[in-house]
């Protein structure tokens, strides 16, 4: 039996690296797309470099996408590349639209022109729900985006639906709620919390600045979520799915779990910085993943407290290596 071939855009990111690991474990030939001008490091996929093939291409350049598809000849494409940090989308709204919205159209059109038999996955986001119209949110909940990033994701979502219905592509969107791991970017709030807590425990920092600590999210473990992506492309029919835990926690609870893990009191270190609060806040997101459970046999397994502990432990180990300090030395005075 011929091995399946997959192309992952955004392979250097959190989800891309975990997805590459999953597909390799299933016997896939894995190709990844990286930008020619990218300054992003390959830290997350360093251990995979000898097992995957990388192609230089850009979501802003249609011809490079066609060339990459012709070179890699994938049976599946996972489009994970995007400008994905919400605060940056307020600073660079037009560029966010080019990558996160129009870039999806370029990729879909490249698939249509190159090989319409390719199965296509689009990374949609719970941020599309924004000012939520229903609680919890499922596949039929109306979108109400509250940031340039979320608006761009809504476009990417609907253009995927449009190409599926207009050109009969096997094209699906996974509406993934927040999913974290030790590979999460440091600019995201969960990783900012766990790395700061690790540095505070080792006496390297004395303060953690946060914005809206009352914001509530449905947080899961990223390695489990890439399995859901793969399952969507193995289904008999192309459909969109909400992926989440069905449970909700606040930023403050994340802080409490992280400090609790290192036996410190967050009241001694956490400060609220009004400059970190979004211009248009998304206060609450909660998934209804029942369709994924019933149709894909997928459920989240890692609890939020376990997830925070995994991330704090990873950051503690990393900061110990970098600083030479040990957690059992206690905080420096």
């Amino acid at each position: 039996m011929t091995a399946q071939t997959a192309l992952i855009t955004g392979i250097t990111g959190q989800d891309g690296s975990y997805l590459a690991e999953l597909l390799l474990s299933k016997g896939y030939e894995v190709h990844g797309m990286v930008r020619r001008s990218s300054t992003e490091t390959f830290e997350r996929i360093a251990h995979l470099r000898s097992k995957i093939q990388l192609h230089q291409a850009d979501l802003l350049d249609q011809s490079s996408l066609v060339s990459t598809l012709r070179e890699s000849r994938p049976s599946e494409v996972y489009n994970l590349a995007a400008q994905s940090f919400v605060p940056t989308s307020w600073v660079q709204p037009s560029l966010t639209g080019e990558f996160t919205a129009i870039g999806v159209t370029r990729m879909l059109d490249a698939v249509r022109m190159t090989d319409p038999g390719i199965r296509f996955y689009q990374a949609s986001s719970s941020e599309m729900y924004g000012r939520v119209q229903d609680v919890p949110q499922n596949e039929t909940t109306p979108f109400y985006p509250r940031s340039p990033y979320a608006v761009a994701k809504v476009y990417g979502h609907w253009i995927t639906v449009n190409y599926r219905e207009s050109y009969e592509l096997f094209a699906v969107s996974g509406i993934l709620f927040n999913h974290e791991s030790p590979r999460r970017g440091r600019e995201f709030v969960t990783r900012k919390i766990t790395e700061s807590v690790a540095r505070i425990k080792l006496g390297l920092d004395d303060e953690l600045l946060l914005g809206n600590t009352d914001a509530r999210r449905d947080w899961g473990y990223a390695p489990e979520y890439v399995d859901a992506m793969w399952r969507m492309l193995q289904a008999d029919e192309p459909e969109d799915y909400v992926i989440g835990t069905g449970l909700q926690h606040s930023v403050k609870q994340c802080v409490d779990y992280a400090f609790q893990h290192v036996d410190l009191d967050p009241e001694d270190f956490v400060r609220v910085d009004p400059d970190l609060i979004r211009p248009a806040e998304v206060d609450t997101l909660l998934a209804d993943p029942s369709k994924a459970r019933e149709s894909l046999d997928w459920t989240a397994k890692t609890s939020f407290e376990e997830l925070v502990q995994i991330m704090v432990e990873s950051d503690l180990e990393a900061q110990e290596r970098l600083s030479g300090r040990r957690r059992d030395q206690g905080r420096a005075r």
Side-chain angles (χ1 to χ4, degrees):
M1 181 176 170
T2 305
Q4 291 271 75
T5 301
L7 172 66
I8 304 170
T9 75
I11 195 170
T12 59
Q14 168 188 258
D15 291 4
S17 63
Y18 283 123
L19 179 60
E21 289 177 346
L22 175 71
L23 295 178
L24 287 168
S25 74
K26 294 180 179 296
Y28 277 66
E29 178 182 311
V30 177
H31 296 252
M33 195 182 92
V34 294
R35 294 180 62 203
R36 293 187 185 98
S37 59
S38 177
T39 57
E40 185 171 5
T41 68
F42 295 92
E43 176 185 358
R44 296 183 182 96
I45 58 169
H47 61 299
L48 302 175
R49 289 297 295 274
S50 64
K51 302 176 183 178
I52 61 178
Q53 299 180 52
L54 298 180
H55 303 261
Q56 290 187 335
D58 197 312
L59 288 177
L60 302 184
D61 179 11
Q62 181 85 24
S63 63
S64 71
L65 302 179
V66 172
S67 296
T68 296
L69 288 172
R70 287 174 175 167
E71 291 168 8
S72 58
R73 301 180 65 184
S75 51
E76 299 173 2
V77 169
Y78 296 85
N79 187 41
L80 311 184
Q83 191 303 99
S84 58
F85 188 44
V86 172
T88 298
S89 77
W90 288 104
V91 179
Q92 298 179 315
S94 297
L95 186 62
T96 297
E98 284 291 338
F99 278 114
T100 308
I102 304 301
V104 183
T105 307
R106 295 190 186 101
M107 197 73 220
L108 281 164
D109 222 34
V111 166
R112 181 182 66 84
M113 291 187 292
T114 306
D115 178 5
I118 292 172
R119 295 194 168 201
F120 179 87
Y121 172 86
Q122 166 60 17
S124 287
S125 168
S126 60
E127 287 285 331
M128 299 188 305
Y129 294 118
R131 182 181 287 171
V132 297
Q133 305 299 291
D134 298 303
V135 179
Q137 295 87 55
N138 61 26
E139 292 79 7
T140 62
T141 302
F143 300 135
Y144 196 138
R146 296 270 283 168
S147 68
Y149 165 75
V151 171
K153 277 294 185 183
V154 171
Y155 177 99
H157 180 89
W158 281 114
I159 200 67
T160 301
V161 172
N162 191 264
Y163 269 64
R164 176 171 72 219
E165 295 178 349
S166 300
Y167 300 113
E168 297 184 351
L169 298 182
F170 193 107
V172 305
S173 290
I175 307 173
L176 271 57
F177 281 62
N178 296 65
H179 47 289
E180 320 296 313
S181 76
R183 299 181 192 174
R184 190 55 143 155
R186 290 173 173 84
E187 67 272 24
F188 291 89
V189 67
T190 50
R191 183 70 192 287
K192 177 181 180 180
I193 290 168
T194 61
E195 187 174 67
S196 293
V197 166
R199 290 181 59 81
I200 289 169
K201 176 64 175 178
L202 298 176
L204 302 171
D205 283 340
D206 290 305
E207 189 175 59
L208 168 59
L209 295 177
L210 294 171
N212 180 13
T213 59
D214 294 324
R216 300 180 66 82
R217 295 290 186 271
D218 183 325
W219 273 298
Y221 189 32
E224 298 170 0
Y225 285 48
V226 299
D227 176 61
M229 298 177 190
W230 175 78
R231 289 174 186 245
M232 288 181 215
L233 291 195
Q234 313 316 305
D236 293 333
E237 299 294 332
E239 296 185 42
D240 304 324
Y241 292 88
V242 162
I243 302 298
T245 69
L247 298 171
Q248 191 181 62
H249 298 85
S250 66
V251 173
K252 184 180 185 304
Q253 284 176 289
C254 181
V255 170
D256 290 343
Y257 284 144
F259 276 99
Q260 177 182 314
H261 189 65
V262 296
D263 297 317
L264 292 175
D265 186 347
E267 294 293 328
D268 295 334
F269 306 101
V270 178
R271 308 288 181 267
V272 173
D273 182 353
D275 290 339
L276 296 177
I277 296 176
R278 298 180 186 181
E281 186 59 82
V282 175
D283 295 313
T284 181
L285 293 171
L286 177 63
D288 172 6
S290 56
K291 181 181 176 182
R293 182 175 61 249
E294 294 162 6
S295 299
L296 302 177
D297 193 28
W298 182 91
T299 56
K301 297 179 175 61
T302 303
S303 73
F304 183 59
E305 186 172 4
E306 290 170 333
L307 169 59
V308 174
Q309 291 172 354
I310 289 169
M311 293 175 67
V312 171
E313 276 300 313
S314 176
D315 280 322
L316 273 169
E317 291 170 8
Q319 291 299 318
E320 284 176 329
R321 286 194 303 270
L322 289 170
S323 69
R325 291 193 59 82
R326 304 294 299 176
R327 70 189 80 180
D328 53 13
Q329 293 175 319
R331 281 182 47 76
R333 299 295 180 185

